[in-house]
Amino acid sequence: MRFLVAAGLALAACAPARGPAPPPDAQAMMSHGLSDAALTAATASFQPAVLALAERHDPGLRRPNLWGRPLGWANLDLRRIPDLGIPPEQGEDAVALNNLRPFAGLPIRPMRPFVLRADADDANRALHCMTQAIYYEAAREPVRGQEAIAQVVLNRLRHPAYPKSICGVVYQGSARPTGCQFTFTCDGALRWTPQPALWREAQDVAKRALAGFVDKDVGSATHYHAAYVIPYWAPTLVKMTQVGQHIFYRWTGPWGEPPAFTGHYEGRESELSPALLASLDPRTQGGTYLAPQAQGIPAERKITLAVAGEVRTYNVVDPTTPTGERTRVMGTLYAARRQPTPEEVRQINESLSTMDKGADSSAGAPAPAAKTSVGPKAEAQGTAGSVPG
């Protein structure tokens, strides 16, 4: 309070005299003392603008600075994963809330067929894990719904962000009570014996999926959830389509398009390491952005972009390609800038040192005309090799 009134008095003393009511004399107010009663009385005479400025800069109030902030900023806690204001509803309320968010309406592009090539042990384990995923996630769904679940498993297998075996994809995060990627692996559903007829049906769907069947309904989807629940990650992904009781999503941008799915099956279905069983998907668990190289995406790759309603595939060239070797080719994209190599930084520093010595030796000489080009120092900060647009 004392800081608030002192700041207000200072602002009042500096306030212009014009206005409906001239500000009171600050020194006269200070002469009445700094007791809580006197300070409270003093604040009653502040102009609204002065009072608002004083409150904003008072550290004793410990209020968030909401100047220009969006609604809800005061309640933001960076230590928690944002839920975007969506309550953990289930049942009819969740269905109604899911219906409020429309589907993206973007093209759903089919994936390439996947044919499992493995020895007998890996093939049997892969078939068993795929059948489990289909059975426990969609045993009561129509065949189309079961095929969609199998396609998501295969999509994750070939996406750089996920394990490279069927069982690895299905059981990723299963050691965490709330971190499993497929709910049945951590909610106790495996304790129940499958119904033989439904298991055989799920197994038939799994066999077809591992033999090259492609479900074109869900395309490159890597996520899904039941229509009667609302996961916190749903608004962060592209809502593609609904098949049966499941809503399917893909990653945003080129990361969710078929050309990004460059992973290859590695087998070793029985090798489910503790790190894999305890792992999470960083982008839906509050993690930070991962660089493409850290995710296994090569520096030179193909991406598919939709521009002005026209879909084209481009080659993205390695950003370390020297500028002199770059040529303008239709359908080719070049990285706009790259970080200089240590050798380039050393040469830049040597050039700067030489220039400084030359400047010292010619201190009395007239200054040359100014240049408009970017100097070496700017290149050392990350613009070396940039190509004009």
Side-chain angles (χ1 to χ4, degrees):
M1 174 64 75
R2 294 180 185 275
F3 178 88
L4 169 63
V5 177
L9 292 174
L11 291 169
C14 299
R18 64 175 179 272
D25 182 67
Q27 293 184 356
M29 296 178 62
M30 292 286 289
S31 64
H32 293 292
L34 295 176
S35 65
D36 289 342
L39 294 177
T40 301
T43 58
S45 62
F46 285 173
Q47 293 182 7
V50 172
L51 183 60
L53 287 173
E55 289 180 343
R56 195 193 323 165
H57 295 285
D58 187 354
L61 296 178
R62 297 185 180 276
R63 294 176 181 173
N65 182 5
L66 303 181
W67 186 263
R69 304 292 187 181
L71 294 177
W73 185 268
N75 300 322
L76 180 63
D77 185 358
L78 297 180
R79 296 169 297 181
R80 299 178 53 191
I81 300 174
D83 58 8
L84 302 180
I86 299 178
E89 301 286 354
Q90 293 190 5
E92 295 181 359
D93 292 339
V95 173
L97 290 174
N98 281 323
N99 290 335
L100 290 176
R101 186 188 179 212
F103 294 98
L106 299 174
I108 299 178
R109 300 180 178 84
M111 303 295 290
R112 293 179 291 104
F114 174 86
V115 178
L116 179 66
R117 293 181 174 85
D119 57 33
D121 290 339
D122 273 347
N124 290 334
R125 291 190 184 96
L127 176 61
H128 184 76
C129 289
M130 177 68 86
T131 304
Q132 283 182 320
I134 297 170
Y135 176 86
Y136 288 103
E137 296 287 300
R140 301 290 180 179
E141 287 284 300
V143 173
R144 287 184 60 244
Q146 297 182 11
E147 292 171 345
I149 300 299
Q151 187 64 53
V152 168
V153 174
L154 296 179
N155 290 348
R156 287 197 167 202
L157 167 69
R158 291 196 288 194
H159 198 280
Y162 298 99
K164 295 296 165 279
S165 67
I166 300 294
C167 293
V169 168
V170 173
Y171 281 90
Q172 183 182 16
S174 60
R176 300 174 60 93
T178 59
C180 50
Q181 301 293 313
F182 291 81
T183 308
F184 76 92
T185 64
C186 64
D187 67 355
L190 290 171
R191 293 177 298 179
W192 306 103
T193 303
Q195 297 185 18
L198 295 178
W199 178 265
R200 287 194 296 270
E201 182 179 352
Q203 192 175 58
D204 290 339
V205 174
K207 289 180 179 178
R208 292 198 300 272
L210 297 177
F213 176 80
V214 176
D215 182 5
K216 299 180 180 180
D217 291 338
V218 298
S220 58
T222 50
H223 296 72
Y224 66 85
H225 65 81
Y228 49 83
V229 299
I230 305 179
Y232 65 87
W233 48 259
T236 67
L237 304 177
V238 177
K239 187 177 181 182
M240 300 175 65
T241 186
Q242 180 170 347
V243 179
Q245 287 296 316
H246 289 106
I247 302 174
F248 292 83
Y249 301 79
R250 68 166 175 83
W251 290 114
T252 58
W255 189 238
E257 295 288 354
F261 292 70
T262 58
H264 298 282
Y265 177 75
E266 296 180 357
R268 302 193 297 274
E269 296 286 352
S270 61
E271 297 181 12
L272 301 181
S273 65
L276 185 149
L277 297 176
S279 64
L280 294 171
D281 190 329
R283 284 149 302 179
T284 58
Q285 298 291 336
T288 57
Y289 170 76
L290 298 178
Q293 290 79 3
Q295 300 173 11
I297 303 178
E300 182 173 354
R301 62 190 188 278
K302 293 180 180 291
I303 61 172
T304 300
L305 302 175
V307 180
E310 184 177 358
V311 179
R312 291 184 179 180
T313 299
Y314 298 89
N315 292 319
V316 181
V317 178
D318 187 343
T320 61
T321 302
T323 305
E325 298 180 11
R326 301 184 178 191
T327 56
R328 295 290 184 179
V329 179
M330 183 67 69
T332 300
L333 301 178
Y334 292 93
R337 58 180 63 189
R338 63 176 175 83
Q339 294 296 328
T341 64
E343 177 62 22
E344 290 173 336
V345 173
R346 185 187 63 79
Q347 294 176 358
I348 291 172
N349 290 332
E350 290 179 354
S351 299
L352 289 174
S353 178
T354 303
M355 291 172 59
D356 291 339
K357 293 179 180 179
D360 293 340
S361 62
S362 59
K371 296 182 179 180
T372 58
S373 61
V374 178
K377 185 174 296 185
E379 293 183 353
Q381 296 175 350
T383 59
S386 59
V387 179

